[in-house]
């Protein structure tokens, strides 16, 4: 791993753990055991660093989601594995992360918004259409509407005004919202498949 990658990795970990606003360039330099001057050789300021971290996270999400598409057995399995991609690092994420990104780093926030309303939305729309073709999702549902609902519900869980971190666990919220979303899509056959998938996952744990 070269120096630039190390900086990105440490900055990403600090942002996820403490939020973006609470982490200074001094904090990152201290964690790395290097001077701020070295960091500024690769990133001209914190805004630039946040943008690179955001882009790196988006590219990793795309790789993860594409891997899911290749390995999912059906639409239910596909959505379930998509949700695992979102949840895999939630235990280490400070809920203020997205709020800080939106309020203090609008350029990076727009990168996330573009990714959310293009790649993620289209991915969920395609999964819902697949499920309708497979007979596991109800034919009457509107894929576009529910895809938008799904991506907004993911982001909703990060709002500390609605779900204060002193009272709610981020992973538990996402699990509850995901189950509510999927159960609203399912046919009788789909219910059976989803219940078996959830039970097998719980047994593996």
């Amino acid at each position: 791993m070269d120096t630039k990658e190390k900086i990105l990795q440490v900055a990403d970990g600090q942002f996820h753990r403490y939020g973006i606003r609470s982490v200074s360039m001094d904090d990152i330099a201290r964690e790395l055991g290097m001077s701020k001057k070295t960091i500024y050789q690769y990133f001209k300021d914190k805004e630039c660093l946040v943008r690179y971290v955001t882009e790196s996270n988006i590219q990793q999400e795309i790789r993860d989601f594409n891997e899911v598409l290749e390995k999912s057995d059906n639409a239910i399995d596909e959505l379930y594995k998509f949700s695992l991609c979102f949840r895999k690092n939630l235990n280490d994420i400070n809920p203020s992360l997205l709020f800080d990104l939106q309020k203090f780093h609008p350029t990076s926030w727009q990168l996330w918004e573009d990714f959310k309303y293009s790649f993620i939305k289209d991915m969920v729309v395609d999964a819902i259409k697949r499920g309708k073709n497979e007979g596991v999702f109800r034919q009457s549902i509107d894929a576009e509407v529910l895809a938008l609902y799904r991506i907004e519900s993911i982001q909703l869980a990060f709002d500390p005004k609605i779900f204060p971190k002193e009272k709610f666990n981020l992973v538990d919220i996402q699990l509850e919202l995901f189950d509510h979303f999927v159960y609203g899509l399912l046919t009788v056959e789909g219910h059976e498949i989803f219940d078996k998938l959830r039970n097998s996952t719980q047994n593996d744990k």
Side-chain angles (χ1 to χ4, degrees), residues 19-37:
I20 299 172
R21 190 183 184 192
S22 299
V23 177
S24 68
M25 297 296 268
D26 283 315
D27 294 326
I28 296 169
R30 192 178 305 113
E31 181 72 17
L32 284 161
M34 64 176 60
S35 67
K36 279 197 301 183
K37 184 177 179 180

Side-chain angles (χ1 to χ4, degrees), residues 13-150:
Q14 297 256 318
F15 293 156
H16 276 72
R17 194 171 302 117
Y18 304 113
I20 299 172
R21 190 183 184 192
S22 299
V23 177
S24 68
M25 297 296 268
D26 283 315
D27 294 326
I28 296 169
R30 192 178 305 113
E31 181 72 17
L32 284 161
M34 64 176 60
S35 67
K36 279 197 301 183
K37 184 177 179 180
T38 302
I39 296 177
Y40 287 132
Q41 290 176 0
Y42 297 92
F43 307 97
K44 67 177 183 178
D45 52 27
K46 184 177 178 181
E47 180 66 35
C48 178
L49 178 57
V50 170
R51 179 168 55 81
Y52 270 88
V53 168
T54 303
E55 290 173 344
S56 177
N57 277 310
I58 288 172
Q59 291 304 314
Q60 183 60 54
E61 293 283 3
I62 290 173
R63 288 191 291 270
D64 289 344
F65 292 143
N66 284 333
E67 185 177 350
V68 166
L69 287 173
E70 294 174 2
K71 295 182 178 180
S72 57
D73 298 326
N74 52 60
I76 297 173
D77 186 44
E78 184 178 325
L79 284 180
Y80 192 78
K81 286 176 178 173
F82 283 151
S83 77
L84 293 179
C85 289
F86 280 115
R87 298 200 305 263
K88 65 182 179 181
N89 296 318
L90 286 182
N91 281 322
D92 298 323
I93 289 184
N94 190 307
S96 68
L97 176 66
L98 288 182
F99 174 81
D100 289 349
L101 196 67
Q102 181 177 14
K103 187 171 183 180
F104 302 109
H105 303 278
T107 301
S108 296
W109 175 254
Q110 191 59 52
L111 290 174
W112 164 248
E113 289 281 276
D114 292 343
F115 172 61
K116 182 174 71 172
Y117 289 115
S118 56
F119 185 87
I120 297 179
K121 191 203 77 171
D122 291 347
M123 177 189 68
V124 178
V125 167
D126 290 344
I128 292 174
K129 289 179 177 178
R130 176 184 177 182
K132 291 170 77 170
N133 290 333
E134 293 172 346
V136 295
F137 294 161
R138 294 180 294 113
Q139 293 298 317
S140 60
I141 59 179
D142 188 312
E144 185 92 5
V145 169
L146 289 175
L148 289 169
Y149 165 76
R150 174 60 186 148

Side-chain angles (χ1 to χ4, degrees), residues 115-204:
F115 172 61
K116 182 174 71 172
Y117 289 115
S118 56
F119 185 87
I120 297 179
K121 191 203 77 171
D122 291 347
M123 177 189 68
V124 178
V125 167
D126 290 344
I128 292 174
K129 289 179 177 178
R130 176 184 177 182
K132 291 170 77 170
N133 290 333
E134 293 172 346
V136 295
F137 294 161
R138 294 180 294 113
Q139 293 298 317
S140 60
I141 59 179
D142 188 312
E144 185 92 5
V145 169
L146 289 175
L148 289 169
Y149 165 76
R150 174 60 186 148
I151 60 176
E152 288 303 318
S153 70
I154 292 170
Q155 191 164 308
L156 180 69
F158 287 87
D159 191 331
K161 292 180 293 185
I162 300 174
F163 298 108
K165 63 180 179 180
E166 299 80 14
K167 186 176 180 181
F168 296 96
N169 177 274
L170 193 55
V171 174
D172 292 340
I173 298 168
Q174 292 290 2
L175 285 169
E176 196 72 31
L177 293 176
F178 176 73
D179 281 358
H180 176 75
F181 169 71
V182 174
Y183 276 120
L185 303 176
L186 299 172
T187 60
V188 173
E189 179 186 352
H191 268 278
E192 295 175 356
I193 294 172
F194 185 52
D195 286 341
K196 287 179 182 178
L197 178 61
R198 290 177 79 248
N199 290 335
S200 65
T201 304
Q202 289 169 359
N203 290 334
D204 288 343

